[in-house]
Amino acid sequence: VNYWEIWNEPNEAGWLTPQWRQVSAKRAGHKPAKVWVESSPLVYRRLLDAAWSALAGTGHGADTILVGDTSAKGASRRGVLSAMPPITFLRALYCVGNAGHPLTGQRAAELACPTNGSTSAFTAEHPGLIGATGYSDHPYSFTEPPNELSANSTWATLAELPRFERTIDGIFATYGRPMPGGVPLYLTEYGYKSNPPNPYVKTTPAEQAAYINEGEYMAWRDPYVRALAQFELVDAGPQAGEPVGSPAYWGTFQTGLMTLNGVPKPAYYAYRIPIWVPRARTGPQVTVWGQLRPADRAAPQLASIEYEPVGASSFTTLEQVQSTEPQGFILASVGVTRPGLMRLAWSDPANGQVYHSRMVRIR
């Protein structure tokens, strides 16, 4: 094993408690009172310190080590079991305020930070926070398309990663460790639940397939992102012990590429050969992005962009394109004069089997 994540979603009460704790404090202009302050970042910081020391002491210090692993959203209220928004968690974890400056005084003491704001003391005590390979996040939107921003400025869904990236870049700069090209991000869980089988979500199987591909394209475009992991392969079963058909019964993850009994969803084929057309309109230069996920990565691979105009009964090849990166990504621009359906096709040189992406409607 040479690839490590420290804990899982420490800003979720299901994985780490308490999320918040009450302390007696006096804020400027107010009488002393009980206030809620961040708790899970302190606990997580201690977990990280222990893991970092143990990995270094057992010959794994040069491995890929990821910190954070935060979930994308959080609750608006504060409480022992209230999920903490990821940017709120991030700032408390690194002992900085909303402006990115080191905390001092009482506020620093509440979060077990150096009360004089010493950045050198903080990094010496918690080397893993700055020395890790990168930060991991689970940028689920769950019910909204991948490119849709939320109204909450402390969340970190896929659409909101630029704001998150600016925040963590500023933190590293504050601690004298600016990272050329930005702090690497590893998106270690991502996916969409579908209906069916979950009756409490609005995403259809076809939308699930399209959203997965759009998310992959967005992650590919983001220079901070090093990896995007699909969660999961097979739908999770309903929650045992809960009333059948209730929201709690369906509180598990139906984000699989296959149903619980192993039947492929449209997302299965979309994930195998991703395709995304950023502007699905006719024109002389229609951008087509995709990936030949099953292809041998030892050599460039060829794919065909196929098209079926409205009124036609079969697909024809618009253009053959070659993968441009070892991961099998392709990027091309083709002319499309009539509305219709577009797809990618890749033929496995080993056995001649042809794999297709999902179809994209060009209007």
Side-chain angles (χ1 to χ4, degrees):
V1 176
N2 57 15
Y3 191 115
W4 310 83
E5 285 183 291
I6 310 303
W7 212 248
N8 175 67
E9 297 188 351
N11 59 322
E12 286 284 351
W15 299 111
L16 196 62
T17 53
Q19 285 290 307
W20 301 83
R21 73 185 194 283
Q22 280 192 309
V23 301
S24 295
K26 186 179 187 307
R27 300 296 192 233
H30 295 82
K31 295 180 179 179
K34 290 283 189 179
V35 297
W36 287 103
V37 299
E38 300 88 332
S39 181
S40 57
L42 282 69
V43 181
Y44 180 72
R45 207 185 295 141
R46 293 196 296 269
L47 287 169
L48 172 59
D49 291 343
W52 184 262
S53 176
L55 289 170
T58 53
H60 291 283
D63 288 359
T64 296
I65 302 174
L66 307 180
V67 302
D69 211 27
T70 42
S71 63
K73 300 183 179 182
S76 57
R77 65 188 183 280
R78 297 184 176 189
V80 171
L81 299 178
S82 296
M84 191 176 298
I87 290 184
T88 303
F89 179 90
L90 179 70
R91 288 171 176 153
L93 178 65
Y94 282 89
C95 294
V96 299
N98 291 346
H101 304 305
L103 296 172
T104 58
Q106 180 180 326
R107 179 69 175 133
E110 291 169 355
L111 298 180
C113 308
T115 55
N116 63 355
S118 171
T119 57
S120 59
F122 182 76
T123 54
E125 189 173 355
H126 310 290
L129 283 172
I130 299 296
T133 309
Y135 193 96
S136 59
D137 182 58
H138 299 168
Y140 294 108
S141 297
F142 285 125
T143 56
E144 295 81 26
N147 65 350
E148 187 170 313
L149 291 167
S150 73
N152 195 309
S153 62
T154 58
W155 287 3
T157 65
L158 199 57
E160 291 148 349
L161 284 186
R163 179 172 55 213
F164 187 85
E165 291 159 357
R166 289 192 297 272
T167 302
I168 195 167
D169 273 358
I171 288 171
F172 271 63
T174 292
Y175 284 102
R177 306 279 181 86
M179 300 199 62
V183 177
L185 293 182
Y186 292 73
L187 310 180
T188 51
E189 276 189 35
Y190 187 69
Y192 275 90
K193 298 179 182 181
S194 68
N195 177 3
N198 188 327
Y200 293 97
V201 300
K202 63 183 181 181
T203 308
T204 67
E207 288 173 329
Q208 179 197 27
Y211 290 168
I212 285 174
N213 283 174
E214 183 177 10
E216 291 176 305
Y217 171 72
M218 291 171 63
W220 173 81
R221 285 190 64 193
D222 190 326
Y224 286 72
V225 174
R226 300 295 188 270
L228 176 69
Q230 160 66 25
F231 187 81
E232 48 196 335
L233 176 60
V234 180
D235 281 345
Q239 186 66 50
E242 298 292 347
V244 175
S246 68
Y249 179 77
W250 287 106
T252 52
F253 277 68
Q254 291 74 46
T255 55
L257 305 179
M258 295 188 288
T259 65
L260 188 59
N261 58 3
V263 176
K265 298 179 180 180
Y268 177 90
Y269 305 102
Y271 188 76
R272 185 170 63 185
I273 304 286
I275 183 174
W276 186 251
V277 181
R279 189 178 184 279
R281 298 285 188 271
T282 58
Q285 291 186 318
V286 178
T287 298
V288 183
W289 172 89
Q291 185 180 15
L292 310 179
R293 187 164 264 128
D296 183 353
R297 300 183 183 184
Q301 298 286 327
L302 288 175
S304 298
I305 300 174
E306 297 184 339
Y307 200 70
E308 182 184 270
V310 170
S313 58
S314 62
F315 281 86
T316 58
T317 298
L318 281 180
E319 188 173 320
Q320 275 205 324
V321 292
Q322 182 173 290
S323 59
T324 57
E325 302 177 45
Q327 295 85 358
F329 292 116
I330 63 168
L331 184 67
S333 180
V334 295
V336 180
T337 59
R338 296 165 55 190
L341 297 173
M342 180 180 289
R343 70 184 183 187
L344 293 176
W346 173 72
S347 177
D348 187 344
N351 55 22
Q353 183 175 353
V354 178
Y355 297 93
H356 291 106
S357 70
R358 66 186 178 90
M359 295 180 287
V360 176
R361 186 171 298 280
I362 308 297
R363 302 183 187 281

